Amino acid sequence: EAEVAQSPRYKITEKSQAVAFWCDPISGHATLYWYRQILGQGPELLVQFQDESVVDDSQLPKDRFSAERLKGVDSTLKIQPAELGDSAMYLCASSTREKELTGELFFGEGSRLTVL
Amino acid sequence: GQSLEQPSEVTAVEGAIVQINCTYQTSGFYGLSWYQQHDGGAPTFLSYNALDGLEETGRFSSFLSRSDSYGYLLLQELQMKDSASYFCAVTGGFKTIFGAGTRLFVKA
């Protein structure tokens, strides 16, 4: 069964350092999302792509976060510089346009970031 | 803006029935989804309601009342493996916003 792949699974870094997360969506899924999930809370949308275009990045802290999906397939989320409050799980999800409309997103296992 | 409210925790006994409620305030509402997430795992899709009424999928059912901006997830014949967090999520066109989640503890 196809899955959303994310790496790394775990990342520990010191504040002010740069970190990057990678996501490979399910083949054929045009929509890709990055969510941030703080422990004990629900996923919070950071950025949404349709193919290679950003369709929503209203909640992305653009002074330190950036995201790209250059060829409309895999995606990278970068944080520079990392702050203590960035410690969270970073979840990538993908979907087709049809399944989006019925709320069905397919999530990866996530990348857990700890900032010291 | 958009907001969703659901209880933070629910505890139930194995074999019992439990209902997890969700109320929402949103513009451009299309439907209500439910997701399950085990500790350390990925959220997985359970169900979606666009119209009023009950949708059944095995032991899980989901209900929506659009006029009341309210829905619930019903889990029957609870099993220990159902211990997890459950999130309701509103879909407004091509955007999905999640609630804070309900932690379900199933006791033997």
Side-chain angles (χ1 to χ4, degrees):
Chain A
E1 185 174 331
E3 293 182 345
V4 175
Q6 289 190 247
S7 68
R9 284 282 280 132
Y10 302 94
K11 177 71 177 178
I12 300 174
T13 191
E14 293 185 346
K15 63 180 181 179
S16 80
Q17 296 298 304
V19 294
F21 304 111
W22 176 80
C23 172
D24 191 13
I26 294 172
S27 177
H29 282 195
T31 310
L32 184 147
Y33 314 77
W34 284 100
Y35 283 86
R36 175 171 61 186
Q37 186 176 27
I38 294 170
L39 194 63
Q41 298 183 21
E44 171 197 6
L45 181 65
L46 292 175
V47 61
Q48 179 177 343
F49 290 91
Q50 181 65 27
D51 298 310
E52 67 276 6
S53 301
V54 173
V55 296
D56 187 347
D57 63 356
S58 57
Q59 300 303 310
L60 188 71
K62 298 181 190 62
D63 57 335
R64 298 185 299 108
F65 286 64
S66 64
E68 61 183 16
R69 193 184 184 198
L70 293 176
K71 297 183 179 179
V73 181
D74 59 337
S75 175
T76 302
L77 177 70
K78 296 179 181 178
I79 309 173
Q80 182 173 19
E83 296 181 352
L84 296 178
D86 297 331
S87 293
M89 177 74 84
Y90 290 84
L91 292 163
C92 179
S94 69
S95 192
T96 64
R97 292 299 261 179
E98 292 74 25
K99 289 189 179 295
E100 263 189 284
L101 287 175
T102 57
E104 186 172 4
L105 310 183
F106 298 82
F107 282 86
E109 295 287 333
S111 295
R112 181 166 293 285
L113 173 66
T114 301
V115 182
L116 303 177
Chain B
Q2 294 169 312
S3 67
L4 299 95
E5 288 193 16
Q6 49 183 131
S8 57
E9 284 186 10
V10 173
T11 301
V13 177
E14 196 174 15
I17 299 173
V18 71
Q19 179 174 312
I20 299 173
N21 299 319
C22 174
T23 57
Y24 59 86
Q25 287 187 319
T26 184
S27 56
F29 177 83
Y30 277 60
L32 190 71
S33 306
W34 289 91
Y35 283 76
Q36 178 191 61
Q37 186 179 32
H38 287 99
D39 284 348
T44 55
F45 176 81
L46 293 175
S47 66
Y48 175 76
N49 295 68
L51 303 176
D52 287 358
L54 192 68
E55 296 279 346
E56 299 182 48
T57 310
R59 294 187 299 114
F60 294 2
S61 302
S62 56
F63 172 83
L64 177 66
S65 168
R66 295 175 71 104
S67 59
D68 295 324
S69 297
Y70 164 76
Y72 65 73
L73 179 69
L74 192 72
L75 297 84
Q76 302 181 72
E77 301 173 16
L78 279 175
Q79 302 176 8
M80 298 300 289
K81 68 178 182 179
D82 297 328
S83 292
S85 293
Y86 293 84
F87 299 91
C88 58
V90 294
T91 298
F94 297 105
K95 186 169 183 174
T96 300
I97 304 298
F98 288 80
T102 298
R103 180 97 178 181
L104 172 63
F105 297 94
V106 180
K107 294 183 174 181

